[in-house]
Amino acid sequence: MAAYTDAARIAAYLGLTLTGAQQTQAGVMADAATAWIERYTGKSWQVASPVTDERYEIQGDRVYLARRPVLAVSAVKTRTYYPDLGVTTLSEGQYELLDAENGLLMIQGWSVSGMLALVTYTHAMTTAPADVRLAATMIASAWLSPALAPSTNGLSSVSVGQNDVSVKFSERRGDVPAEALSILKPYRSIVIA
């Protein structure tokens, strides 16, 4: 699967021309930023559509699908947490896609706790949005920057005045930039229990 950014985007964002070794480092940072974004948001824009038998816990009579918007639900099966107790395939009249944009699926008559749904569906979440790709570029660039200028490791700014030198250190090296976090926060998965 491809990362949400690449060495060329990182170089353009930093306004630099990267050497071969730096391009390799940028690729590693792009992969790491992609993995971090997927953990933080609880989403992946790298999953092919359709998804077959994706497992969900039924919340009352609802299932909140992870990949949205949902184009169509083609099959729903239910089972307990113990797979050897059997699987029930539901008919089309036993489930309904209530909200395709938000991935809300209703399963008729299932308010028993401890039940799982295995859902097969198609979705349109196969390419990361432009702002998520930008956030990946920002994160990878921030993580790569110390390696590009190792002699300034940890420095945010240096100013020299008359009989005065001021050095400002970065607050936290290796953190995710606040701008990237503000882009990603709306994409975080919400779990309603």
Side-chain angles (χ1 to χ4, degrees):
M1 298 282 183
Y4 299 151
T5 190
D6 57 27
R9 286 186 177 139
I10 294 167
Y13 182 80
L14 292 172
L16 300 172
T17 301
L18 301 178
T19 66
Q22 291 169 336
Q23 287 179 9
T24 301
Q25 281 183 307
V28 169
M29 296 302 172
D31 290 341
T34 299
W36 187 91
I37 287 170
E38 290 182 355
R39 278 191 314 276
Y40 180 77
T41 62
K43 294 179 174 58
S44 174
W45 287 270
Q46 301 187 77
V47 177
S49 183
V51 176
T52 303
D53 289 343
E54 192 166 68
R55 190 177 75 184
Y56 292 96
E57 185 170 342
I58 300 173
Q59 305 290 328
D61 63 352
R62 310 288 163 111
V63 172
Y64 300 90
L65 302 174
R67 289 151 184 64
R68 325 178 266 283
V70 175
L71 302 174
V73 175
S74 56
V76 178
K77 301 172 191 170
T78 59
R79 70 170 176 86
T80 66
Y81 283 105
Y82 307 101
D84 55 336
L85 293 180
V87 174
T88 302
T89 301
L90 303 182
S91 68
E92 285 187 30
Q94 292 179 292
Y95 61 88
E96 178 184 353
L97 184 59
L98 292 179
D99 183 354
E101 189 65 30
N102 293 303
L104 178 57
L105 176 69
M106 183 177 74
I107 300 178
Q108 303 287 338
W110 291 93
S111 60
V112 179
S113 65
M115 293 298 290
L116 298 175
L118 304 172
V119 184
T120 299
Y121 65 101
T122 54
H123 61 86
M125 195 170 136
T126 55
T127 304
D131 58 344
V132 171
R133 293 191 312 266
L134 173 61
T137 302
M138 296 166 106
I139 294 167
S141 296
W143 292 347
L144 181 65
S145 290
L148 298 176
S151 62
T152 62
N153 199 5
L155 291 178
S156 176
S157 68
V158 176
S159 67
V160 179
Q162 195 171 14
N163 296 326
D164 187 27
V165 174
S166 175
V167 177
K168 182 179 175 186
F169 290 91
S170 300
E171 290 182 28
R172 293 186 214 148
R173 282 194 56 241
D175 275 0
V176 172
E179 299 86 2
L181 280 176
S182 68
I183 290 170
L184 296 171
K185 279 183 184 176
Y187 289 100
R188 291 193 83 173
S189 291
I190 298 171
V191 176
I192 301 170

PDB file of all heavy atoms in Angstrom, residues 24-59:
ATOM      1  N   THR A  24      15.526   8.614   0.666  1.00  0.00           N
ATOM      2  CA  THR A  24      15.231   7.344   1.331  1.00  0.00           C
ATOM      3  C   THR A  24      14.687   7.592   2.731  1.00  0.00           C
ATOM      4  O   THR A  24      13.691   6.982   3.139  1.00  0.00           O
ATOM      5  CB  THR A  24      16.495   6.464   1.395  1.00  0.00           C
ATOM      6  OG1 THR A  24      16.946   6.232   0.058  1.00  0.00           O
ATOM      7  CG2 THR A  24      16.227   5.147   2.092  1.00  0.00           C
ATOM      8  N   GLN A  25      15.343   8.508   3.485  1.00  0.00           N
ATOM      9  CA  GLN A  25      14.862   8.861   4.822  1.00  0.00           C
ATOM     10  C   GLN A  25      13.449   9.439   4.753  1.00  0.00           C
ATOM     11  O   GLN A  25      12.602   9.127   5.589  1.00  0.00           O
ATOM     12  CB  GLN A  25      15.780   9.901   5.468  1.00  0.00           C
ATOM     13  CG  GLN A  25      17.048   9.350   6.049  1.00  0.00           C
ATOM     14  CD  GLN A  25      17.847  10.461   6.714  1.00  0.00           C
ATOM     15  OE1 GLN A  25      18.135  11.493   6.101  1.00  0.00           O
ATOM     16  NE2 GLN A  25      18.209  10.247   7.973  1.00  0.00           N
ATOM     17  N   ALA A  26      13.197  10.287   3.765  1.00  0.00           N
ATOM     18  CA  ALA A  26      11.876  10.888   3.607  1.00  0.00           C
ATOM     19  C   ALA A  26      10.824   9.818   3.347  1.00  0.00           C
ATOM     20  O   ALA A  26       9.701   9.893   3.860  1.00  0.00           O
ATOM     21  CB  ALA A  26      11.886  11.914   2.481  1.00  0.00           C
ATOM     22  N   GLY A  27      11.173   8.794   2.576  1.00  0.00           N
ATOM     23  CA  GLY A  27      10.251   7.689   2.328  1.00  0.00           C
ATOM     24  C   GLY A  27       9.907   6.936   3.605  1.00  0.00           C
ATOM     25  O   GLY A  27       8.748   6.566   3.829  1.00  0.00           O
ATOM     26  N   VAL A  28      10.911   6.727   4.448  1.00  0.00           N
ATOM     27  CA  VAL A  28      10.681   6.060   5.738  1.00  0.00           C
ATOM     28  C   VAL A  28       9.767   6.924   6.608  1.00  0.00           C
ATOM     29  O   VAL A  28       8.828   6.428   7.243  1.00  0.00           O
ATOM     30  CB  VAL A  28      12.025   5.769   6.447  1.00  0.00           C
ATOM     31  CG1 VAL A  28      11.812   5.323   7.878  1.00  0.00           C
ATOM     32  CG2 VAL A  28      12.822   4.742   5.659  1.00  0.00           C
ATOM     33  N   MET A  29      10.018   8.234   6.619  1.00  0.00           N
ATOM     34  CA  MET A  29       9.187   9.145   7.404  1.00  0.00           C
ATOM     35  C   MET A  29       7.756   9.194   6.856  1.00  0.00           C
ATOM     36  O   MET A  29       6.791   9.302   7.619  1.00  0.00           O
ATOM     37  CB  MET A  29       9.779  10.555   7.421  1.00  0.00           C
ATOM     38  CG  MET A  29      11.116  10.662   8.106  1.00  0.00           C
ATOM     39  SD  MET A  29      11.036  10.091   9.824  1.00  0.00           S
ATOM     40  CE  MET A  29      12.755  10.112  10.231  1.00  0.00           C
ATOM     41  N   ALA A  30       7.599   9.108   5.536  1.00  0.00           N
ATOM     42  CA  ALA A  30       6.264   9.095   4.919  1.00  0.00           C
ATOM     43  C   ALA A  30       5.487   7.869   5.370  1.00  0.00           C
ATOM     44  O   ALA A  30       4.301   7.962   5.728  1.00  0.00           O
ATOM     45  CB  ALA A  30       6.385   9.138   3.401  1.00  0.00           C
ATOM     46  N   ASP A  31       6.140   6.709   5.379  1.00  0.00           N
ATOM     47  CA  ASP A  31       5.483   5.479   5.842  1.00  0.00           C
ATOM     48  C   ASP A  31       5.106   5.589   7.320  1.00  0.00           C
ATOM     49  O   ASP A  31       4.006   5.197   7.723  1.00  0.00           O
ATOM     50  CB  ASP A  31       6.398   4.268   5.637  1.00  0.00           C
ATOM     51  CG  ASP A  31       6.577   3.908   4.173  1.00  0.00           C
ATOM     52  OD1 ASP A  31       5.754   4.332   3.336  1.00  0.00           O
ATOM     53  OD2 ASP A  31       7.562   3.191   3.860  1.00  0.00           O
ATOM     54  N   ALA A  32       6.026   6.139   8.125  1.00  0.00           N
ATOM     55  CA  ALA A  32       5.760   6.290   9.565  1.00  0.00           C
ATOM     56  C   ALA A  32       4.616   7.275   9.808  1.00  0.00           C
ATOM     57  O   ALA A  32       3.761   7.037  10.665  1.00  0.00           O
ATOM     58  CB  ALA A  32       7.028   6.750  10.283  1.00  0.00           C
ATOM     59  N   ALA A  33       4.583   8.373   9.052  1.00  0.00           N
ATOM     60  CA  ALA A  33       3.509   9.362   9.209  1.00  0.00           C
ATOM     61  C   ALA A  33       2.165   8.750   8.815  1.00  0.00           C
ATOM     62  O   ALA A  33       1.147   8.990   9.474  1.00  0.00           O
ATOM     63  CB  ALA A  33       3.798  10.602   8.368  1.00  0.00           C
ATOM     64  N   THR A  34       2.153   7.948   7.768  1.00  0.00           N
ATOM     65  CA  THR A  34       0.923   7.275   7.341  1.00  0.00           C
ATOM     66  C   THR A  34       0.415   6.343   8.440  1.00  0.00           C
ATOM     67  O   THR A  34      -0.770   6.354   8.779  1.00  0.00           O
ATOM     68  CB  THR A  34       1.161   6.496   6.036  1.00  0.00           C
ATOM     69  OG1 THR A  34       1.546   7.432   5.022  1.00  0.00           O
ATOM     70  CG2 THR A  34      -0.069   5.742   5.594  1.00  0.00           C
ATOM     71  N   ALA A  35       1.306   5.549   9.007  1.00  0.00           N
ATOM     72  CA  ALA A  35       0.926   4.628  10.083  1.00  0.00           C
ATOM     73  C   ALA A  35       0.416   5.400  11.299  1.00  0.00           C
ATOM     74  O   ALA A  35      -0.582   5.015  11.924  1.00  0.00           O
ATOM     75  CB  ALA A  35       2.111   3.738  10.464  1.00  0.00           C
ATOM     76  N   TRP A  36       1.082   6.517  11.633  1.00  0.00           N
ATOM     77  CA  TRP A  36       0.656   7.322  12.778  1.00  0.00           C
ATOM     78  C   TRP A  36      -0.747   7.879  12.541  1.00  0.00           C
ATOM     79  O   TRP A  36      -1.602   7.848  13.433  1.00  0.00           O
ATOM     80  CB  TRP A  36       1.656   8.458  13.031  1.00  0.00           C
ATOM     81  CG  TRP A  36       1.340   9.193  14.298  1.00  0.00           C
ATOM     82  CD1 TRP A  36       1.833   8.919  15.545  1.00  0.00           C
ATOM     83  CD2 TRP A  36       0.424  10.282  14.459  1.00  0.00           C
ATOM     84  NE1 TRP A  36       1.279   9.784  16.462  1.00  0.00           N
ATOM     85  CE2 TRP A  36       0.410  10.633  15.818  1.00  0.00           C
ATOM     86  CE3 TRP A  36      -0.378  10.996  13.583  1.00  0.00           C
ATOM     87  CZ2 TRP A  36      -0.369  11.658  16.329  1.00  0.00           C
ATOM     88  CZ3 TRP A  36      -1.168  12.024  14.091  1.00  0.00           C
ATOM     89  CH2 TRP A  36      -1.156  12.349  15.443  1.00  0.00           C
ATOM     90  N   ILE A  37      -0.999   8.397  11.342  1.00  0.00           N
ATOM     91  CA  ILE A  37      -2.314   8.961  11.016  1.00  0.00           C
ATOM     92  C   ILE A  37      -3.397   7.891  11.128  1.00  0.00           C
ATOM     93  O   ILE A  37      -4.484   8.138  11.661  1.00  0.00           O
ATOM     94  CB  ILE A  37      -2.299   9.606   9.608  1.00  0.00           C
ATOM     95  CG1 ILE A  37      -1.513  10.909   9.651  1.00  0.00           C
ATOM     96  CG2 ILE A  37      -3.712   9.851   9.089  1.00  0.00           C
ATOM     97  CD1 ILE A  37      -1.233  11.516   8.287  1.00  0.00           C
ATOM     98  N   GLU A  38      -3.131   6.700  10.650  1.00  0.00           N
ATOM     99  CA  GLU A  38      -4.127   5.632  10.719  1.00  0.00           C
ATOM    100  C   GLU A  38      -4.420   5.228  12.160  1.00  0.00           C
ATOM    101  O   GLU A  38      -5.564   4.955  12.512  1.00  0.00           O
ATOM    102  CB  GLU A  38      -3.681   4.441   9.873  1.00  0.00           C
ATOM    103  CG  GLU A  38      -3.751   4.766   8.395  1.00  0.00           C
ATOM    104  CD  GLU A  38      -3.361   3.621   7.481  1.00  0.00           C
ATOM    105  OE1 GLU A  38      -2.938   2.550   7.975  1.00  0.00           O
ATOM    106  OE2 GLU A  38      -3.475   3.809   6.256  1.00  0.00           O
ATOM    107  N   ARG A  39      -3.391   5.205  13.011  1.00  0.00           N
ATOM    108  CA  ARG A  39      -3.625   4.904  14.429  1.00  0.00           C
ATOM    109  C   ARG A  39      -4.407   6.039  15.088  1.00  0.00           C
ATOM    110  O   ARG A  39      -5.339   5.797  15.864  1.00  0.00           O
ATOM    111  CB  ARG A  39      -2.295   4.704  15.166  1.00  0.00           C
ATOM    112  CG  ARG A  39      -1.708   3.337  15.010  1.00  0.00           C
ATOM    113  CD  ARG A  39      -0.544   3.090  15.967  1.00  0.00           C
ATOM    114  NE  ARG A  39       0.434   4.162  16.041  1.00  0.00           N
ATOM    115  CZ  ARG A  39       1.448   4.331  15.195  1.00  0.00           C
ATOM    116  NH1 ARG A  39       1.626   3.488  14.203  1.00  0.00           N
ATOM    117  NH2 ARG A  39       2.287   5.325  15.345  1.00  0.00           N
ATOM    118  N   TYR A  40      -4.034   7.274  14.802  1.00  0.00           N
ATOM    119  CA  TYR A  40      -4.667   8.439  15.429  1.00  0.00           C
ATOM    120  C   TYR A  40      -6.131   8.578  15.018  1.00  0.00           C
ATOM    121  O   TYR A  40      -6.989   8.848  15.852  1.00  0.00           O
ATOM    122  CB  TYR A  40      -3.887   9.704  15.054  1.00  0.00           C
ATOM    123  CG  TYR A  40      -4.458  10.973  15.638  1.00  0.00           C
ATOM    124  CD1 TYR A  40      -4.248  11.289  16.985  1.00  0.00           C
ATOM    125  CD2 TYR A  40      -5.204  11.855  14.869  1.00  0.00           C
ATOM    126  CE1 TYR A  40      -4.773  12.448  17.532  1.00  0.00           C
ATOM    127  CE2 TYR A  40      -5.735  13.013  15.407  1.00  0.00           C
ATOM    128  CZ  TYR A  40      -5.516  13.309  16.745  1.00  0.00           C
ATOM    129  OH  TYR A  40      -6.048  14.458  17.278  1.00  0.00           O
ATOM    130  N   THR A  41      -6.417   8.398  13.747  1.00  0.00           N
ATOM    131  CA  THR A  41      -7.785   8.593  13.263  1.00  0.00           C
ATOM    132  C   THR A  41      -8.638   7.339  13.395  1.00  0.00           C
ATOM    133  O   THR A  41      -9.861   7.423  13.379  1.00  0.00           O
ATOM    134  CB  THR A  41      -7.806   9.021  11.780  1.00  0.00           C
ATOM    135  OG1 THR A  41      -7.225   7.995  10.974  1.00  0.00           O
ATOM    136  CG2 THR A  41      -7.091  10.336  11.576  1.00  0.00           C
ATOM    137  N   GLY A  42      -8.004   6.184  13.505  1.00  0.00           N
ATOM    138  CA  GLY A  42      -8.761   4.938  13.523  1.00  0.00           C
ATOM    139  C   GLY A  42      -9.302   4.581  12.144  1.00  0.00           C
ATOM    140  O   GLY A  42     -10.235   3.813  12.014  1.00  0.00           O
ATOM    141  N   LYS A  43      -8.702   5.158  11.102  1.00  0.00           N
ATOM    142  CA  LYS A  43      -9.156   4.948   9.726  1.00  0.00           C
ATOM    143  C   LYS A  43      -7.960   4.649   8.832  1.00  0.00           C
ATOM    144  O   LYS A  43      -6.853   5.050   9.109  1.00  0.00           O
ATOM    145  CB  LYS A  43      -9.818   6.209   9.172  1.00  0.00           C
ATOM    146  CG  LYS A  43     -11.097   6.610   9.822  1.00  0.00           C
ATOM    147  CD  LYS A  43     -11.611   7.885   9.172  1.00  0.00           C
ATOM    148  CE  LYS A  43     -12.950   8.297   9.656  1.00  0.00           C
ATOM    149  NZ  LYS A  43     -13.086   8.529  11.055  1.00  0.00           N
ATOM    150  N   SER A  44      -8.259   3.970   7.737  1.00  0.00           N
ATOM    151  CA  SER A  44      -7.260   3.754   6.701  1.00  0.00           C
ATOM    152  C   SER A  44      -7.899   4.048   5.357  1.00  0.00           C
ATOM    153  O   SER A  44      -8.987   3.558   5.066  1.00  0.00           O
ATOM    154  CB  SER A  44      -6.748   2.313   6.719  1.00  0.00           C
ATOM    155  OG  SER A  44      -5.888   2.104   5.613  1.00  0.00           O
ATOM    156  N   TRP A  45      -7.227   4.849   4.578  1.00  0.00           N
ATOM    157  CA  TRP A  45      -7.694   5.138   3.224  1.00  0.00           C
ATOM    158  C   TRP A  45      -6.988   4.224   2.226  1.00  0.00           C
ATOM    159  O   TRP A  45      -6.937   4.510   1.051  1.00  0.00           O
ATOM    160  CB  TRP A  45      -7.434   6.606   2.884  1.00  0.00           C
ATOM    161  CG  TRP A  45      -8.358   7.525   3.605  1.00  0.00           C
ATOM    162  CD1 TRP A  45      -9.569   7.956   3.166  1.00  0.00           C
ATOM    163  CD2 TRP A  45      -8.163   8.134   4.879  1.00  0.00           C
ATOM    164  NE1 TRP A  45     -10.138   8.786   4.101  1.00  0.00           N
ATOM    165  CE2 TRP A  45      -9.291   8.912   5.169  1.00  0.00           C
ATOM    166  CE3 TRP A  45      -7.136   8.084   5.821  1.00  0.00           C
ATOM    167  CZ2 TRP A  45      -9.435   9.649   6.334  1.00  0.00           C
ATOM    168  CZ3 TRP A  45      -7.281   8.812   6.993  1.00  0.00           C
ATOM    169  CH2 TRP A  45      -8.423   9.583   7.237  1.00  0.00           C
ATOM    170  N   GLN A  46      -6.459   3.115   2.722  1.00  0.00           N
ATOM    171  CA  GLN A  46      -5.715   2.191   1.874  1.00  0.00           C
ATOM    172  C   GLN A  46      -6.408   0.840   1.721  1.00  0.00           C
ATOM    173  O   GLN A  46      -5.837  -0.088   1.185  1.00  0.00           O
ATOM    174  CB  GLN A  46      -4.313   1.977   2.457  1.00  0.00           C
ATOM    175  CG  GLN A  46      -3.524   3.267   2.567  1.00  0.00           C
ATOM    176  CD  GLN A  46      -2.120   3.001   2.980  1.00  0.00           C
ATOM    177  OE1 GLN A  46      -1.318   2.577   2.165  1.00  0.00           O
ATOM    178  NE2 GLN A  46      -1.812   3.230   4.236  1.00  0.00           N
ATOM    179  N   VAL A  47      -7.613   0.720   2.213  1.00  0.00           N
ATOM    180  CA  VAL A  47      -8.338  -0.537   2.155  1.00  0.00           C
ATOM    181  C   VAL A  47      -9.154  -0.579   0.870  1.00  0.00           C
ATOM    182  O   VAL A  47      -9.912   0.339   0.571  1.00  0.00           O
ATOM    183  CB  VAL A  47      -9.261  -0.696   3.386  1.00  0.00           C
ATOM    184  CG1 VAL A  47     -10.073  -1.962   3.289  1.00  0.00           C
ATOM    185  CG2 VAL A  47      -8.423  -0.695   4.656  1.00  0.00           C
ATOM    186  N   ALA A  48      -8.983  -1.641   0.121  1.00  0.00           N
ATOM    187  CA  ALA A  48      -9.702  -1.788  -1.143  1.00  0.00           C
ATOM    188  C   ALA A  48     -11.192  -1.977  -0.887  1.00  0.00           C
ATOM    189  O   ALA A  48     -11.606  -2.429   0.176  1.00  0.00           O
ATOM    190  CB  ALA A  48      -9.145  -2.974  -1.921  1.00  0.00           C
ATOM    191  N   SER A  49     -11.972  -1.625  -1.859  1.00  0.00           N
ATOM    192  CA  SER A  49     -13.413  -1.805  -1.789  1.00  0.00           C
ATOM    193  C   SER A  49     -13.801  -2.834  -2.838  1.00  0.00           C
ATOM    194  O   SER A  49     -13.267  -2.795  -3.947  1.00  0.00           O
ATOM    195  CB  SER A  49     -14.101  -0.472  -2.066  1.00  0.00           C
ATOM    196  OG  SER A  49     -15.492  -0.583  -1.945  1.00  0.00           O
ATOM    197  N   PRO A  50     -14.662  -3.786  -2.567  1.00  0.00           N
ATOM    198  CA  PRO A  50     -15.455  -3.961  -1.360  1.00  0.00           C
ATOM    199  C   PRO A  50     -14.678  -4.638  -0.232  1.00  0.00           C
ATOM    200  O   PRO A  50     -13.664  -5.277  -0.452  1.00  0.00           O
ATOM    201  CB  PRO A  50     -16.603  -4.856  -1.826  1.00  0.00           C
ATOM    202  CG  PRO A  50     -16.021  -5.669  -2.927  1.00  0.00           C
ATOM    203  CD  PRO A  50     -15.012  -4.770  -3.608  1.00  0.00           C
ATOM    204  N   VAL A  51     -15.222  -4.491   0.967  1.00  0.00           N
ATOM    205  CA  VAL A  51     -14.700  -5.143   2.158  1.00  0.00           C
ATOM    206  C   VAL A  51     -15.583  -6.352   2.426  1.00  0.00           C
ATOM    207  O   VAL A  51     -16.808  -6.244   2.357  1.00  0.00           O
ATOM    208  CB  VAL A  51     -14.745  -4.173   3.363  1.00  0.00           C
ATOM    209  CG1 VAL A  51     -14.292  -4.858   4.622  1.00  0.00           C
ATOM    210  CG2 VAL A  51     -13.905  -2.941   3.084  1.00  0.00           C
ATOM    211  N   THR A  52     -14.984  -7.482   2.704  1.00  0.00           N
ATOM    212  CA  THR A  52     -15.741  -8.714   2.927  1.00  0.00           C
ATOM    213  C   THR A  52     -15.674  -9.141   4.383  1.00  0.00           C
ATOM    214  O   THR A  52     -14.580  -9.257   4.943  1.00  0.00           O
ATOM    215  CB  THR A  52     -15.199  -9.845   2.025  1.00  0.00           C
ATOM    216  OG1 THR A  52     -15.262  -9.418   0.665  1.00  0.00           O
ATOM    217  CG2 THR A  52     -16.006 -11.114   2.186  1.00  0.00           C
ATOM    218  N   ASP A  53     -16.835  -9.364   4.973  1.00  0.00           N
ATOM    219  CA  ASP A  53     -16.969  -9.885   6.341  1.00  0.00           C
ATOM    220  C   ASP A  53     -16.153  -9.090   7.367  1.00  0.00           C
ATOM    221  O   ASP A  53     -15.500  -9.664   8.242  1.00  0.00           O
ATOM    222  CB  ASP A  53     -16.591 -11.370   6.415  1.00  0.00           C
ATOM    223  CG  ASP A  53     -17.620 -12.269   5.743  1.00  0.00           C
ATOM    224  OD1 ASP A  53     -18.752 -11.802   5.504  1.00  0.00           O
ATOM    225  OD2 ASP A  53     -17.294 -13.439   5.470  1.00  0.00           O
ATOM    226  N   GLU A  54     -16.210  -7.769   7.280  1.00  0.00           N
ATOM    227  CA  GLU A  54     -15.539  -6.934   8.278  1.00  0.00           C
ATOM    228  C   GLU A  54     -16.325  -7.045   9.584  1.00  0.00           C
ATOM    229  O   GLU A  54     -17.542  -6.902   9.601  1.00  0.00           O
ATOM    230  CB  GLU A  54     -15.479  -5.486   7.786  1.00  0.00           C
ATOM    231  CG  GLU A  54     -14.563  -4.621   8.604  1.00  0.00           C
ATOM    232  CD  GLU A  54     -14.271  -3.313   7.890  1.00  0.00           C
ATOM    233  OE1 GLU A  54     -15.194  -2.497   7.749  1.00  0.00           O
ATOM    234  OE2 GLU A  54     -13.120  -3.124   7.462  1.00  0.00           O
ATOM    235  N   ARG A  55     -15.622  -7.301  10.674  1.00  0.00           N
ATOM    236  CA  ARG A  55     -16.268  -7.618  11.948  1.00  0.00           C
ATOM    237  C   ARG A  55     -16.538  -6.362  12.772  1.00  0.00           C
ATOM    238  O   ARG A  55     -15.664  -5.524  12.955  1.00  0.00           O
ATOM    239  CB  ARG A  55     -15.390  -8.569  12.750  1.00  0.00           C
ATOM    240  CG  ARG A  55     -16.095  -9.138  13.962  1.00  0.00           C
ATOM    241  CD  ARG A  55     -15.233 -10.103  14.670  1.00  0.00           C
ATOM    242  NE  ARG A  55     -14.219  -9.327  15.380  1.00  0.00           N
ATOM    243  CZ  ARG A  55     -13.222  -9.855  16.060  1.00  0.00           C
ATOM    244  NH1 ARG A  55     -13.060 -11.144  16.086  1.00  0.00           N
ATOM    245  NH2 ARG A  55     -12.376  -9.098  16.682  1.00  0.00           N
ATOM    246  N   TYR A  56     -17.771  -6.262  13.284  1.00  0.00           N
ATOM    247  CA  TYR A  56     -18.197  -5.143  14.124  1.00  0.00           C
ATOM    248  C   TYR A  56     -19.001  -5.656  15.302  1.00  0.00           C
ATOM    249  O   TYR A  56     -19.745  -6.631  15.174  1.00  0.00           O
ATOM    250  CB  TYR A  56     -19.091  -4.169  13.336  1.00  0.00           C
ATOM    251  CG  TYR A  56     -18.360  -3.433  12.258  1.00  0.00           C
ATOM    252  CD1 TYR A  56     -18.383  -3.893  10.949  1.00  0.00           C
ATOM    253  CD2 TYR A  56     -17.637  -2.289  12.546  1.00  0.00           C
ATOM    254  CE1 TYR A  56     -17.706  -3.227   9.945  1.00  0.00           C
ATOM    255  CE2 TYR A  56     -16.961  -1.611  11.552  1.00  0.00           C
ATOM    256  CZ  TYR A  56     -16.993  -2.078  10.258  1.00  0.00           C
ATOM    257  OH  TYR A  56     -16.316  -1.429   9.272  1.00  0.00           O
ATOM    258  N   GLU A  57     -18.912  -4.971  16.425  1.00  0.00           N
ATOM    259  CA  GLU A  57     -19.785  -5.251  17.552  1.00  0.00           C
ATOM    260  C   GLU A  57     -21.095  -4.512  17.311  1.00  0.00           C
ATOM    261  O   GLU A  57     -21.099  -3.339  16.946  1.00  0.00           O
ATOM    262  CB  GLU A  57     -19.143  -4.788  18.848  1.00  0.00           C
ATOM    263  CG  GLU A  57     -19.964  -5.165  20.053  1.00  0.00           C
ATOM    264  CD  GLU A  57     -19.230  -4.921  21.361  1.00  0.00           C
ATOM    265  OE1 GLU A  57     -17.995  -4.791  21.343  1.00  0.00           O
ATOM    266  OE2 GLU A  57     -19.908  -4.877  22.392  1.00  0.00           O
ATOM    267  N   ILE A  58     -22.197  -5.190  17.522  1.00  0.00           N
ATOM    268  CA  ILE A  58     -23.512  -4.568  17.339  1.00  0.00           C
ATOM    269  C   ILE A  58     -23.816  -3.745  18.587  1.00  0.00           C
ATOM    270  O   ILE A  58     -23.742  -4.245  19.710  1.00  0.00           O
ATOM    271  CB  ILE A  58     -24.609  -5.636  17.107  1.00  0.00           C
ATOM    272  CG1 ILE A  58     -24.277  -6.462  15.854  1.00  0.00           C
ATOM    273  CG2 ILE A  58     -25.979  -4.971  16.971  1.00  0.00           C
ATOM    274  CD1 ILE A  58     -25.196  -7.650  15.630  1.00  0.00           C
ATOM    275  N   GLN A  59     -24.108  -2.464  18.395  1.00  0.00           N
ATOM    276  CA  GLN A  59     -24.446  -1.544  19.484  1.00  0.00           C
ATOM    277  C   GLN A  59     -25.959  -1.380  19.505  1.00  0.00           C
ATOM    278  O   GLN A  59     -26.490  -0.576  18.753  1.00  0.00           O
ATOM    279  CB  GLN A  59     -23.768  -0.182  19.265  1.00  0.00           C
ATOM    280  CG  GLN A  59     -22.270  -0.242  19.085  1.00  0.00           C
ATOM    281  CD  GLN A  59     -21.556  -0.615  20.372  1.00  0.00           C
ATOM    282  OE1 GLN A  59     -22.009  -0.286  21.460  1.00  0.00           O
ATOM    283  NE2 GLN A  59     -20.449  -1.312  20.249  1.00  0.00           N
TER     284      GLN A  59
END
